[in-house]
Amino acid sequence: MNGDQKSEAYAREKWDFIQHFSQILNVLTEETGHPETGDAIARLKEVLEYNAIGGKYNRGLTVLAAFQELVEPKKQDADSLQRVLTVGWCVELLQAFFLVLDDIMDSSLTRRGQLCWYKKPGIGLDAINDALLIEACIYRLLKLYCREQPYYLNLIELFLQTTYQTETGQTLDLITAPQGDVDLDRFTEKRYKSIVKYKTAFYSFYLPVAAAMYMAGIDGEEEHANAKKILLEMGEFFQIQDDYLDLFGDPSVTGKVGTDIQDNKCSWLVVQCLQRASPEQRQILQENYGQKEAEKVARVKALYEELELPAVFRQYEEDSYSCLMGLIKQYAAPLPPAIFLGLACKIYKRKK
């Protein structure tokens, strides 16, 4: 396949994936035989339409792409593809569940180019219950579509374990950077890597590929351990990009206004800054980091630019990509390397 054919195939898959959402929505909100819950179901429909739609769908589409690489075409019948699309949407719903709550904890304003759900008039902290509804939908869908499949239990355990890992990462993130309590000594590379591994890498990279592996009948410990080695490294690369784009990305492209400095986050940028700062520069960081005032945020950004962190990031991106290619060469087999190469190409030098 040449480049044009690949992009056409990807566009078609993305279209199929987005179209499948209407089926998911119907299944989750159809008449349950309990008319007294009708108002709650109407609310669920509104919650799903606002929060599950509008992203890049990379995680969900990865389930589909990995499955298509792992299973020979004659075994990719309509029913199995329906199940794969559904599991892809389960990954997207897990993401939506995390993001609704993350936006509240971070006091974020926008997400995917629109107001955060909790910021919408009349929503507020009711969004916490809405997020729990989204999470419950994952297990309803898995039961409805996959209950009779031999991999059902593996998928349930995978989603539960990934949720716990991500919540562990969020806990590390929150206790490392409590709002209003700036302690720069907490921002170490070791702590940063732990946060990233648990908060981002497991659910964004390992989960979708592992789900496809289970659905393809690949449940061996060694295959999963090797895939994990590659995918967790990829997740770290992705999160460092995210941290960079939080400050240096274009909000009209990323769809969100970054708040890592104001939120006192243990970001890659602050860790790099601390490794390079003179005592005077560290003092500037101490006085301005974790503060809401626009001029203080601007002072931190200026400090990052003085330390040439954009150039440091560009070099990191090159080095990390080379490292990833080495890991794929070493650990991909017996899985098709295309699964990992496709993911790496999607995120390398991304702008959002």
Side-chain angles (χ1 to χ4, degrees):
M1 248 196 253
N2 64 32
D4 286 347
Q5 287 171 319
K6 272 186 185 170
S7 57
E8 276 174 30
Y10 179 75
R12 199 162 52 245
E13 283 164 12
K14 188 169 182 177
W15 169 253
D16 289 344
F17 185 73
I18 293 167
Q19 291 303 108
H20 190 67
F21 179 73
S22 56
Q23 185 188 121
I24 297 284
L25 196 62
N26 288 340
V27 165
L28 291 170
T29 59
E30 66 192 358
E31 182 53 57
T32 60
H34 302 284
E36 66 270 25
T37 64
D39 289 346
I41 298 299
R43 169 67 169 230
L44 172 61
K45 186 171 190 287
E46 187 187 355
V47 168
L48 290 171
E49 286 176 332
Y50 194 90
N51 293 291
I53 296 294
K56 300 183 287 289
Y57 309 115
N58 282 343
R59 293 166 184 83
L61 285 164
T62 296
V63 182
L64 178 61
F67 182 82
Q68 288 173 330
E69 288 286 349
L70 292 168
V71 174
E72 52 187 303
K74 65 182 181 191
K75 290 186 179 171
Q76 295 178 29
D77 58 275
D79 285 348
S80 66
L81 287 172
Q82 286 284 298
R83 287 190 289 272
V84 171
L85 288 168
T86 301
V87 172
W89 272 107
C90 287
V91 176
E92 290 293 323
L93 292 181
L94 188 68
Q95 155 95 332
F97 158 60
F98 292 145
L99 295 185
V100 170
L101 296 175
D102 196 51
D103 286 341
I104 298 170
M105 289 180 259
D106 288 348
S107 307
S108 297
L109 303 173
T110 58
R111 167 74 64 184
R112 295 171 173 169
Q114 58 183 7
L115 272 181
C116 294
W117 177 245
Y118 82 100
K119 279 287 183 187
K120 276 180 65 74
I123 304 295
L125 293 184
D126 290 359
I128 296 167
N129 190 67
D130 295 331
L132 295 171
L133 277 175
I134 296 172
E135 185 195 25
C137 288
I138 296 166
Y139 299 98
R140 290 180 62 206
L141 288 170
L142 289 175
K143 183 177 177 182
L144 285 164
Y145 282 82
C146 302
R147 193 181 185 186
E148 305 303 320
Q149 301 305 313
Y151 51 74
Y152 178 56
L153 183 58
N154 280 330
L155 285 186
I156 295 284
E157 289 184 342
L158 177 67
F159 274 90
L160 288 171
Q161 175 70 358
T162 304
T163 301
Y164 175 67
Q165 287 162 329
T166 308
E167 288 163 355
T168 299
Q170 178 72 345
T171 304
L172 286 173
D173 193 16
L174 294 170
I175 62 180
T176 304
Q179 291 194 18
D181 176 15
V182 180
D183 179 358
L184 300 179
D185 290 333
R186 291 194 187 110
F187 299 152
T188 64
E189 185 132 20
K190 185 179 178 187
R191 174 50 66 94
Y192 176 75
K193 283 175 179 280
S194 300
I195 292 169
V196 168
K197 176 180 176 180
Y198 284 90
K199 186 181 173 181
T200 301
F202 278 110
Y203 96 88
S204 296
F205 290 88
Y206 178 64
L207 168 64
V209 175
M213 288 169 70
Y214 284 129
M215 295 182 85
I218 300 166
D219 56 8
E221 279 185 31
E222 189 180 354
E223 288 96 330
H224 278 265
N226 285 344
K228 198 178 287 181
K229 282 189 181 95
I230 299 168
L231 295 162
L232 294 186
E233 186 68 28
M234 211 177 279
E236 184 178 299
F237 175 49
F238 178 85
Q239 185 58 50
I240 289 171
Q241 287 177 313
D242 235 34
D243 289 358
Y244 179 78
L245 292 171
D246 181 86
L247 184 60
F248 291 106
D250 177 351
S252 69
V253 177
T254 63
K256 58 188 176 185
V257 178
T259 57
D260 282 357
I261 293 171
Q262 298 93 310
D263 293 340
N264 187 30
K265 286 290 181 186
C266 182
S267 151
W268 182 81
L269 290 167
V270 77
V271 171
Q272 297 302 312
C273 175
L274 286 165
Q275 287 177 0
R276 292 166 171 76
S278 67
E280 294 77 17
Q281 289 170 322
R282 186 185 172 100
Q283 188 55 39
I284 291 168
L285 193 65
Q286 183 70 54
E287 290 166 3
N288 293 278
Y289 203 73
Q291 313 285 325
K292 303 289 181 197
E293 295 85 351
E295 63 275 13
K296 293 192 173 184
V297 175
R299 186 66 194 91
V300 174
K301 185 175 184 180
L303 177 58
Y304 289 171
E305 286 168 337
E306 281 167 39
L307 291 167
E308 299 184 342
L309 293 192
V312 173
F313 170 75
R314 283 190 290 276
Q315 186 57 52
Y316 162 79
E317 193 167 38
E318 296 301 327
D319 295 345
S320 184
Y321 188 76
S322 299
C323 170
L324 265 180
M325 293 302 111
L327 285 172
I328 291 169
K329 204 169 183 178
Q330 189 176 355
Y331 292 110
L335 302 180
I339 293 174
F340 306 105
L341 293 169
L343 267 177
C345 289
K346 260 185 213 166
I347 62 173
Y348 182 55
K349 296 211 166 169
R350 71 191 175 96
K351 296 282 179 267
K352 64 176 184 174

